Amino acid sequence: MASVSSLSMCFFSAHAQARSNKHRKQLVPKNPNAKKSNSITTPRPQSLFSLSGGQATTYTRLPPKDDEFSDSFAEIKLSDLATLMHMQKKPSSSSEDKIENDAELSDTEEDAGFDYGKFELFEVSSDEEIDGDEFEEDDLALENKGEDELGFEYKGEGEEEQEDEREKEKGVPAVMRCFDRAKIYVRSGDGGNGVVAFRREKFVPLGGPSGGDGGRGGNVYMEVDSSMNSLLPFRNSIHFRAGRGSHGQGSKMNGAKGDDAVVKVPPGTVVRAAGKDGVPGDILLELLHPGDRALLLPGGRGGRGNASFKSGANKVPRIAEDGEEGPEMWLELELKLVADIGIVGAPNAGKSTFLSVISAAQPNIANYPFTTLLPNLGVVSFDYDASIVVADLPGLLEGAHRGFGLGHEFLRHTERCSALVHIVDGSSPQPDYEYDAVRLELEMFSPEIAEKPYIVAFNKMDLPEAFEKWESFRENLESRGIRPFCISAINREGTRELINAAYELVRQRIEDAKEEVWRDPVQFSHVAEMVKKQRTAPINEFEISHDATSDTWHIEGAGLQRFVQMTNWKYMDSDKRFQHVLEACGVNKTLIKRGVKEGDTVIVGEMEMVWHDSPTSSGPNRKLAIESGRWADWK
Ligand SMILES: Nc1nc2c(ncn2[C@@H]2O[C@H](COP(=O)(O)OP(=O)(O)OP(=O)(O)O)[C@@H](O)[C@H]2O)c(=O)[nH]1
Ligand SMILES: [Mg+2]
């Protein structure tokens, strides 16, 4: 009982903070074990907590517009999710329990005697341990709040928005964060090394070089798997590495190609390069339909064996290359569900109930807000051999676009919907206001979503309090040119008409954009092309920078760096070839022009060298010589 009581308290106090923190400094109790008497709550108008039809208290309804307390209790912060999850684990909490808790709350509030609007309570649940699987350690907003022994801290106005953001992230259970977002690491395979070998066979004198080339590294592919419907599998494994190519062998045997890695994603996945400093990276791919497949990263090239270096001038080459390193990348995945219709509305309006009666989906349904934490999908079949996918989204609260509640987390899934069904809780104190508030949130979140065709359904018509409000609701909306439907989702009344009307909107949209209806699976390769282009940058494109204090010259150039990486220094001819390349691509010339002198350090990629002037070399009287013992760590 004590546990439920504390839960309810933090529920309301968070609302108070949500509104107040924009404008003033707040006093924040930091100690999660603070006494419950400090657990400040906001006074609530009794009318809103009256029970309807003997059901549990519906205390998160949107507030009446003119209510003097409307600013203080209608918003739920994401950091309260632990509470909600806790409540969800105990759906059996009876209405009597809640009534008692309400009574306890009122007492506590009166005892405390604080200005409630200024406080935020970080205590979430003191009685029950939170399952590590569902909440990561840093998930709870209270975790990093407890350093100050006094238990209070003052926040400046400027910090508050950032604080909000941080708390929002921390408060979201891992399973929700991972539902439609993931960050993964991909790396294609390194190429195998080439080898130096010579043919030695009876009766074959001077058999010549016979070292084979290394095999190519495996590629990384990404493909749509239609059996997946979330990014949750990436919660467990985020590293995808393709296999390395085998090394070459004697007798001109080339190495085998490395194994490819295939990353499977659900339809509707958008792939970005990982962003930096909060700036999202560029969109690389959109894998929308089953069968879509992309070559993301090509494997590294295999190094050449000495058989490949044979030439008229050098018939006995003692040189072979290492395999090229496979490129790597961090990627951010975002899932945008491919649903035709999105069901939106305030918490507890009956969205999941509606989905459950029109489709075979069995979402959780219960009489408390945020029963739905993750979107549910259902397929609705029509007589005439057509079907549509309907998504039931978590409820939207006033302030959702600023991060209150859960709904905004998933609103982007409606971006691909053809139409929306907006369910209004007819039994709420002010359905008109609830309707306007949700519409406003949609507009604030994205004008594009707000412009989608939508249908309004007034739900719970079986309840007398809803029935009474229907006429005025209908008149109000009709005066604005909207024809609302009235339904009783629980009794399946009016639901078929509603979904038929929604289907009509989808059909119209499909007809408007006929070319979008069917398309062949797409094979993308532009990312791989881009990577290849970067990696095959010409060797003579480089930049030289000089650090005068340490007499060091840095030579930067993708082509040169790749060349250094693939050079196998253990073979004698590698030095010669390296010198030759530096000469040919103009590095030596440029260094001399810039004033390099005896003993200066020259760094190319991971290779560190010392500049020696030598009168014996052909061409310019200077050359780079590699001094043994001065090499950087070298793989
Ligand atoms: N009397 C009545 N109750 C309904 C009707 N539709 C839904 N409910 C009840 O309303 C409560 C909330 O229903 P849900 O379907 O979970 O509501 P929701 O909009 O999905 O709520 P969240 O997922 O929390 O946003 C449940 O107790 C339902 O039984 C209806 O037509 N009549
Ligand atoms: Mg629901």
Side-chain angles (χ1 to χ4, degrees):
M1 179 60 60
S3 155
V4 179
S5 166
S6 69
L7 293 175
S8 307
M9 286 193 290
C10 83
F11 208 60
F12 290 108
S13 55
H15 303 163
Q17 188 272 340
R19 278 306 177 107
S20 61
N21 69 2
K22 292 284 167 217
H23 308 294
R24 54 190 161 195
K25 291 190 170 199
Q26 339 164 319
L27 200 53
V28 180
K30 290 177 66 183
N31 183 358
N33 298 318
K35 273 186 166 183
K36 294 231 169 64
S37 57
N38 279 347
S39 307
I40 310 309
T41 61
T42 307
R44 298 142 293 142
Q46 287 306 310
S47 61
L48 281 169
F49 296 86
S50 59
L51 301 179
S52 59
Q55 294 181 3
T57 320
T58 52
Y59 42 70
T60 52
R61 293 239 174 84
L62 289 154
K65 216 173 197 170
D66 307 324
D67 193 291
E68 59 175 307
F69 296 107
S70 62
D71 267 1
S72 58
F73 66 87
E75 295 169 349
I76 298 170
K77 290 185 65 187
L78 287 171
S79 53
D80 292 324
L81 262 175
T83 316
L84 296 167
M85 297 288 282
H86 177 89
M87 289 168 74
Q88 204 173 23
K89 279 183 201 157
K90 293 189 170 181
S92 57
S93 339
S94 64
S95 52
E96 292 83 26
D97 277 352
K98 286 182 179 154
I99 300 165
E100 278 180 37
N101 295 333
D102 283 345
E104 277 182 37
L105 274 176
S106 328
D107 292 343
T108 324
E109 288 156 13
E110 276 167 26
D111 292 347
F114 284 96
D115 178 358
Y116 303 136
K118 288 184 180 175
F119 287 83
E120 180 181 13
L121 175 67
F122 286 99
E123 176 99 51
V124 176
S125 165
S126 54
D127 292 355
E128 187 170 285
E129 283 214 352
I130 288 158
D131 185 333
D133 206 33
E134 294 198 346
F135 290 84
E136 287 177 2
E137 275 182 23
D138 60 349
D139 279 338
L140 297 178
L142 60 88
E143 292 269 319
N144 53 358
K145 300 276 173 191
E147 302 104 18
D148 189 343
E149 286 191 359
L150 291 172
F152 294 96
E153 69 174 2
Y154 288 98
K155 285 188 211 164
E157 232 172 78
E159 298 163 25
E160 286 168 4
E161 223 148 78
Q162 283 183 356
E163 189 88 0
D164 266 0
E165 276 297 309
R166 278 201 296 272
E167 271 169 29
K168 195 179 87 184
E169 277 297 308
K170 284 177 189 166
V172 182
V175 70
M176 287 180 62
R177 272 188 273 126
C178 302
F179 171 79
D180 59 355
R181 279 165 194 254
K183 192 167 179 182
I184 62 167
Y185 168 87
V186 286
R187 176 169 182 170
S188 59
D190 296 345
N193 298 341
V195 290
V196 171
F198 293 94
R199 188 173 173 198
R200 303 222 180 280
E201 213 174 303
K202 206 173 178 186
F203 310 121
V204 185
L206 306 176
S210 66
D213 299 343
R216 173 169 273 284
N219 299 328
V220 177
Y221 292 93
M222 192 170 267
E223 76 176 20
V224 173
D225 178 352
S226 52
S227 66
M228 289 173 72
N229 57 10
S230 80
L231 298 178
L232 284 174
F234 295 108
R235 207 181 144 195
N236 300 325
S237 69
I238 61 164
H239 296 100
F240 297 87
R241 295 186 180 92
R244 131 156 249 173
S246 309
H247 300 319
Q249 292 178 39
S251 309
K252 292 193 184 165
M253 284 197 286
N254 294 340
K257 184 179 178 297
D259 293 335
D260 294 335
V262 181
V263 185
K264 299 212 166 174
V265 294
T269 302
V270 178
V271 184
R272 293 172 188 275
K276 270 187 197 153
D277 306 327
V279 183
D282 296 336
I283 293 185
L284 299 176
L285 284 171
E286 294 203 355
L287 296 168
L288 304 182
H289 301 276
D292 287 356
R293 182 176 164 103
L295 169 59
L296 260 187
L297 297 180
R301 181 167 75 74
R304 282 174 290 174
N306 69 338
S308 307
F309 284 96
K310 187 179 165 188
S311 68
N314 188 358
K315 292 191 175 144
V316 192
R318 286 188 169 75
I319 184 169
E321 282 174 336
D322 279 348
E324 183 188 18
E325 281 176 359
E328 58 184 1
M329 236 178 171
W330 278 94
L331 299 172
E332 279 167 1
L333 310 184
E334 188 184 326
L335 173 64
K336 297 193 173 184
L337 295 179
V338 190
D340 301 294
I341 291 178
I343 308 176
V344 295
N348 225 28
K351 301 179 292 300
S352 305
T353 312
F354 176 62
L355 181 74
S356 72
V357 301
I358 56 167
S359 72
Q362 295 181 330
N364 284 345
I365 296 170
N367 196 11
Y368 51 81
F370 299 115
T371 314
T372 304
L373 299 177
L374 301 174
N376 297 302
L377 288 185
V379 178
V380 187
S381 301
F382 293 87
D383 300 340
Y384 28 90
D385 197 24
S387 61
I388 53 172
V389 180
V390 181
D392 157 39
L393 299 170
L396 286 171
L397 281 175
E398 190 178 1
H401 70 280
R402 283 188 281 126
F404 296 113
L406 310 172
H408 80 293
E409 287 283 322
F410 301 103
L411 256 185
R412 61 182 170 278
H413 294 307
T414 56
E415 278 168 14
R416 293 190 196 281
C417 292
S418 304
L420 303 178
V421 170
H422 181 164
I423 307 252
V424 179
D425 182 353
S427 66
S428 68
Q430 291 191 7
D432 294 319
Y433 178 64
E434 178 189 303
Y435 166 78
D436 287 338
V438 171
R439 282 301 305 167
L440 186 68
E441 286 312 319
L442 289 175
E443 277 159 30
M444 301 293 275
F445 182 82
S446 151
E448 212 176 282
I449 293 175
E451 274 170 20
K452 286 187 187 294
Y454 66 98
I455 298 180
V456 183
F458 185 89
N459 190 24
K460 307 197 184 178
M461 273 295 272
D462 53 296
L463 297 176
E465 58 266 41
F467 187 78
E468 283 162 16
K469 290 170 195 147
W470 161 241
E471 271 308 315
S472 68
F473 182 82
R474 187 176 61 84
E475 279 166 20
N476 180 1
L477 260 70
E478 278 181 355
S479 67
R480 303 191 221 167
I482 304 163
R483 196 175 69 84
F485 282 69
C486 62
I487 60 168
S488 166
I490 211 164
N491 294 337
R492 298 174 179 249
E493 283 168 17
T495 49
R496 198 70 212 171
E497 290 79 2
L498 175 59
I499 196 62
N500 283 346
Y503 175 69
E504 198 50 38
L505 292 181
V506 176
R507 217 176 48 79
Q508 272 170 21
R509 161 92 197 268
I510 289 174
E511 268 179 20
D512 291 348
K514 267 207 165 115
E515 67 279 10
E516 281 178 26
V517 178
W518 171 254
R519 66 176 186 77
D520 289 329
V522 181
Q523 301 284 324
F524 298 100
S525 61
H526 59 278
V527 183
E529 299 297 332
M530 193 176 77
V531 173
K532 269 188 204 158
K533 208 169 159 193
Q534 280 168 6
R535 293 175 70 82
T536 50
I539 204 157
N540 56 0
E541 282 178 11
F542 56 85
E543 278 179 20
I544 296 184
S545 57
H546 181 217
D547 179 3
T549 50
S550 58
D551 284 335
T552 306
W553 301 82
H554 289 271
I555 301 167
E556 306 269 348
L560 261 178
Q561 274 160 1
R562 180 166 172 268
F563 177 67
V564 170
Q565 185 260 305
M566 291 183 74
T567 301
N568 189 336
W569 301 99
K570 81 179 178 207
Y571 296 122
M572 286 161 52
D573 289 355
S574 295
D575 287 355
K576 254 196 270 171
R577 181 168 173 242
F578 188 65
Q579 296 300 332
H580 177 75
V581 168
L582 289 186
E583 193 71 53
C585 71
V587 171
N588 286 1
K589 222 162 135 190
T590 318
L591 281 172
I592 292 164
K593 228 183 189 170
R594 300 268 306 263
V596 68
K597 51 186 193 311
E598 174 77 27
D600 281 1
T601 307
V602 179
I603 296 175
V604 188
E606 293 176 36
M607 175 56 69
E608 188 177 315
M609 294 161 290
V610 178
W611 182 269
H612 288 306
D613 292 330
S614 163
T616 55
S617 78
S618 56
N621 261 358
R622 293 157 187 257
K623 72 168 185 179
L624 279 173
I626 298 156
E627 232 183 37
S628 59
R630 292 231 40 198
W631 297 3
D633 279 349
W634 186 247
K635 298 186 260 185

